Amino acid sequence: MGTQFALPPRAHAVLLDACDLYAAALEHAPLAQNEVPSASRLDVLSNGGYALHALAELVDECGTYGLDTACTLAAQRAGVKQLPLPVALYAAAALWFDQVAQGQGLVLHQSLAAATAATVSGGTSSTESVPAVPPTSSLGDEDQQDSVFTTSLVAPASLLESLYDQINSKLALIPHTQDPTSLYQVTKDVGHLLSRAETFVQSMPP
């Protein structure tokens, strides 16, 4: 909405509200179970990353309209401090997308391990996706109800999309680099992300 139906400074306010809501939602999102993040937590991080990136682009193109403090606070709540605008917002978006990719990698690893174990035990020979939560019988009544509504499956394409989003936020930093060292660091980070994507694709079964 902030970038489609509103003009500055209203667009700034809409995106700042979105960033604030996602930051607050992250504080209440379920934590990892067996080191695997919940689907709702990944959703908050992903959508929050898009809001941060959209706000960064808006500030990049139109300035802050006097909302420097609010924009800086949005980046700080997302985990990025002591960077100028819009760099801080791009960096915050990249940070959240990285957390999404890391979490999705754990979900896919667990799903593959569960499918492999089931195949070895003769339970199934299929490669169907396995939900990244414990069986509902091991959860309390309230947790079971939460799992039904918050759990979603993560596909390999989801991880690749998150890596792409992170690369996109990193590339947006290039016009704001002010010396060869910072430019080298950005291009190095992008190269590392591309290598991660390539390694992941090559690790997938044919």
Short mmCIF file of all heavy atoms in Angstrom, two decimals, residues 19-46:
data_model
loop_
_atom_site.label_atom_id
_atom_site.label_comp_id
_atom_site.label_asym_id
_atom_site.label_seq_id
_atom_site.Cartn_x
_atom_site.Cartn_y
_atom_site.Cartn_z
N CYS A 19 6.72 -1.42 9.17
CA CYS A 19 7.97 -1.87 9.79
C CYS A 19 7.82 -2.01 11.29
O CYS A 19 8.33 -2.96 11.90
CB CYS A 19 9.09 -0.89 9.46
SG CYS A 19 9.60 -0.88 7.73
N ASP A 20 7.09 -1.06 11.90
CA ASP A 20 6.88 -1.10 13.35
C ASP A 20 6.03 -2.31 13.75
O ASP A 20 6.33 -2.99 14.74
CB ASP A 20 6.19 0.19 13.80
CG ASP A 20 6.05 0.27 15.31
OD1 ASP A 20 7.09 0.26 16.01
OD2 ASP A 20 4.91 0.34 15.81
N LEU A 21 5.01 -2.60 12.96
CA LEU A 21 4.14 -3.74 13.26
C LEU A 21 4.90 -5.06 13.13
O LEU A 21 4.74 -5.96 13.97
CB LEU A 21 2.93 -3.73 12.32
CG LEU A 21 1.88 -2.66 12.60
CD1 LEU A 21 0.82 -2.65 11.48
CD2 LEU A 21 1.20 -2.92 13.94
N TYR A 22 5.74 -5.18 12.09
CA TYR A 22 6.49 -6.43 11.91
C TYR A 22 7.54 -6.60 13.01
O TYR A 22 7.79 -7.72 13.47
CB TYR A 22 7.14 -6.47 10.54
CG TYR A 22 6.15 -6.74 9.43
CD1 TYR A 22 6.02 -5.84 8.36
CD2 TYR A 22 5.35 -7.87 9.44
CE1 TYR A 22 5.10 -6.08 7.34
CE2 TYR A 22 4.43 -8.11 8.43
CZ TYR A 22 4.31 -7.21 7.39
OH TYR A 22 3.41 -7.46 6.38
N ALA A 23 8.16 -5.50 13.43
CA ALA A 23 9.13 -5.59 14.52
C ALA A 23 8.45 -6.04 15.81
O ALA A 23 8.99 -6.85 16.57
CB ALA A 23 9.82 -4.23 14.72
N ALA A 24 7.25 -5.51 16.05
CA ALA A 24 6.50 -5.90 17.25
C ALA A 24 6.04 -7.35 17.14
O ALA A 24 6.08 -8.11 18.12
CB ALA A 24 5.30 -4.98 17.44
N ALA A 25 5.60 -7.75 15.93
CA ALA A 25 5.14 -9.13 15.73
C ALA A 25 6.27 -10.12 15.94
O ALA A 25 6.05 -11.22 16.46
CB ALA A 25 4.55 -9.27 14.33
N LEU A 26 7.49 -9.73 15.54
CA LEU A 26 8.63 -10.63 15.69
C LEU A 26 8.92 -10.92 17.15
O LEU A 26 9.35 -12.02 17.51
CB LEU A 26 9.85 -10.03 15.01
CG LEU A 26 11.08 -10.94 14.90
CD1 LEU A 26 10.76 -12.17 14.06
CD2 LEU A 26 12.27 -10.19 14.31
N GLU A 27 8.66 -9.93 18.00
CA GLU A 27 8.90 -10.12 19.43
C GLU A 27 7.96 -11.16 20.03
O GLU A 27 8.27 -11.77 21.05
CB GLU A 27 8.72 -8.78 20.16
CG GLU A 27 9.76 -7.72 19.76
CD GLU A 27 9.50 -6.38 20.42
OE1 GLU A 27 8.49 -6.29 21.17
OE2 GLU A 27 10.28 -5.44 20.20
N HIS A 28 6.81 -11.37 19.40
CA HIS A 28 5.82 -12.31 19.92
C HIS A 28 5.70 -13.57 19.08
O HIS A 28 4.91 -14.46 19.42
CB HIS A 28 4.45 -11.63 20.00
CG HIS A 28 4.42 -10.42 20.88
ND1 HIS A 28 4.42 -10.51 22.26
CD2 HIS A 28 4.43 -9.09 20.59
CE1 HIS A 28 4.40 -9.28 22.78
NE2 HIS A 28 4.41 -8.41 21.80
N ALA A 29 6.47 -13.65 17.99
CA ALA A 29 6.40 -14.84 17.14
C ALA A 29 7.01 -16.03 17.88
O ALA A 29 7.96 -15.87 18.64
CB ALA A 29 7.15 -14.60 15.83
N PRO A 30 6.46 -17.23 17.67
CA PRO A 30 7.00 -18.43 18.34
C PRO A 30 8.48 -18.62 18.03
O PRO A 30 8.92 -18.38 16.90
CB PRO A 30 6.16 -19.57 17.75
CG PRO A 30 4.91 -18.92 17.28
CD PRO A 30 5.30 -17.55 16.82
N LEU A 31 9.23 -19.03 19.04
CA LEU A 31 10.65 -19.28 18.84
C LEU A 31 10.85 -20.63 18.19
O LEU A 31 9.90 -21.37 17.92
CB LEU A 31 11.36 -19.22 20.20
CG LEU A 31 11.29 -17.87 20.91
CD1 LEU A 31 11.96 -17.97 22.28
CD2 LEU A 31 11.93 -16.78 20.08
N ALA A 32 12.10 -20.96 17.91
CA ALA A 32 12.41 -22.19 17.20
C ALA A 32 12.06 -23.41 18.04
O ALA A 32 12.18 -23.40 19.27
CB ALA A 32 13.89 -22.22 16.84
N GLN A 33 11.62 -24.46 17.37
CA GLN A 33 11.38 -25.75 18.00
C GLN A 33 12.41 -26.73 17.43
O GLN A 33 12.46 -26.96 16.23
CB GLN A 33 9.96 -26.25 17.70
CG GLN A 33 8.87 -25.35 18.27
CD GLN A 33 7.49 -25.83 17.90
OE1 GLN A 33 7.32 -26.65 17.01
NE2 GLN A 33 6.49 -25.32 18.60
N ASN A 34 13.24 -27.28 18.31
CA ASN A 34 14.33 -28.15 17.87
C ASN A 34 15.22 -27.43 16.86
O ASN A 34 15.63 -28.01 15.85
CB ASN A 34 13.77 -29.44 17.25
CG ASN A 34 12.97 -30.25 18.25
OD1 ASN A 34 13.31 -30.29 19.43
ND2 ASN A 34 11.90 -30.88 17.78
N GLU A 35 15.48 -26.14 17.14
CA GLU A 35 16.35 -25.28 16.32
C GLU A 35 15.73 -24.89 14.98
O GLU A 35 16.37 -24.21 14.18
CB GLU A 35 17.72 -25.95 16.08
CG GLU A 35 18.50 -26.23 17.36
CD GLU A 35 19.88 -26.78 17.08
OE1 GLU A 35 20.18 -27.03 15.89
OE2 GLU A 35 20.66 -26.95 18.03
N VAL A 36 14.50 -25.32 14.71
CA VAL A 36 13.82 -24.97 13.46
C VAL A 36 12.82 -23.86 13.74
O VAL A 36 11.93 -24.03 14.58
CB VAL A 36 13.11 -26.19 12.85
CG1 VAL A 36 12.35 -25.79 11.59
CG2 VAL A 36 14.12 -27.28 12.54
N PRO A 37 12.91 -22.71 13.05
CA PRO A 37 11.99 -21.60 13.30
C PRO A 37 10.57 -21.94 12.87
O PRO A 37 10.36 -22.72 11.94
CB PRO A 37 12.57 -20.46 12.47
CG PRO A 37 13.33 -21.14 11.38
CD PRO A 37 13.88 -22.39 12.00
N SER A 38 9.60 -21.33 13.53
CA SER A 38 8.21 -21.54 13.17
C SER A 38 7.89 -20.86 11.85
O SER A 38 8.55 -19.89 11.44
CB SER A 38 7.29 -21.00 14.26
OG SER A 38 7.41 -19.59 14.34
N ALA A 39 6.85 -21.35 11.19
CA ALA A 39 6.43 -20.75 9.93
C ALA A 39 6.00 -19.31 10.12
O ALA A 39 6.27 -18.45 9.27
CB ALA A 39 5.29 -21.58 9.32
N SER A 40 5.33 -19.03 11.24
CA SER A 40 4.87 -17.66 11.47
C SER A 40 6.05 -16.71 11.65
O SER A 40 6.00 -15.56 11.20
CB SER A 40 3.95 -17.61 12.70
OG SER A 40 4.60 -18.11 13.84
N ARG A 41 7.11 -17.17 12.29
CA ARG A 41 8.30 -16.32 12.47
C ARG A 41 8.95 -16.03 11.12
O ARG A 41 9.37 -14.90 10.85
CB ARG A 41 9.29 -17.00 13.41
CG ARG A 41 10.44 -16.09 13.82
CD ARG A 41 11.31 -16.73 14.89
NE ARG A 41 12.29 -15.79 15.41
CZ ARG A 41 12.06 -14.90 16.35
NH1 ARG A 41 10.86 -14.81 16.91
NH2 ARG A 41 13.00 -14.07 16.76
N LEU A 42 9.04 -17.03 10.27
CA LEU A 42 9.61 -16.83 8.94
C LEU A 42 8.76 -15.87 8.12
O LEU A 42 9.28 -15.04 7.36
CB LEU A 42 9.74 -18.17 8.21
CG LEU A 42 10.77 -19.15 8.78
CD1 LEU A 42 10.77 -20.44 7.97
CD2 LEU A 42 12.16 -18.54 8.80
N ASP A 43 7.44 -15.98 8.27
CA ASP A 43 6.54 -15.07 7.54
C ASP A 43 6.75 -13.62 7.98
O ASP A 43 6.78 -12.71 7.16
CB ASP A 43 5.08 -15.48 7.77
CG ASP A 43 4.70 -16.74 7.02
OD1 ASP A 43 5.43 -17.11 6.07
OD2 ASP A 43 3.68 -17.36 7.38
N VAL A 44 6.87 -13.42 9.29
CA VAL A 44 7.08 -12.06 9.81
C VAL A 44 8.40 -11.49 9.30
O VAL A 44 8.47 -10.34 8.84
CB VAL A 44 7.07 -12.06 11.35
CG1 VAL A 44 7.53 -10.71 11.89
CG2 VAL A 44 5.67 -12.37 11.87
N LEU A 45 9.45 -12.30 9.34
CA LEU A 45 10.77 -11.84 8.87
C LEU A 45 10.74 -11.51 7.38
O LEU A 45 11.30 -10.50 6.94
CB LEU A 45 11.82 -12.91 9.15
CG LEU A 45 12.27 -13.06 10.60
CD1 LEU A 45 13.05 -14.35 10.79
CD2 LEU A 45 13.12 -11.87 11.04
N SER A 46 10.08 -12.36 6.60
CA SER A 46 10.02 -12.14 5.16
C SER A 46 9.24 -10.87 4.82
O SER A 46 9.73 -10.00 4.07
CB SER A 46 9.40 -13.35 4.47
OG SER A 46 9.32 -13.15 3.07
#
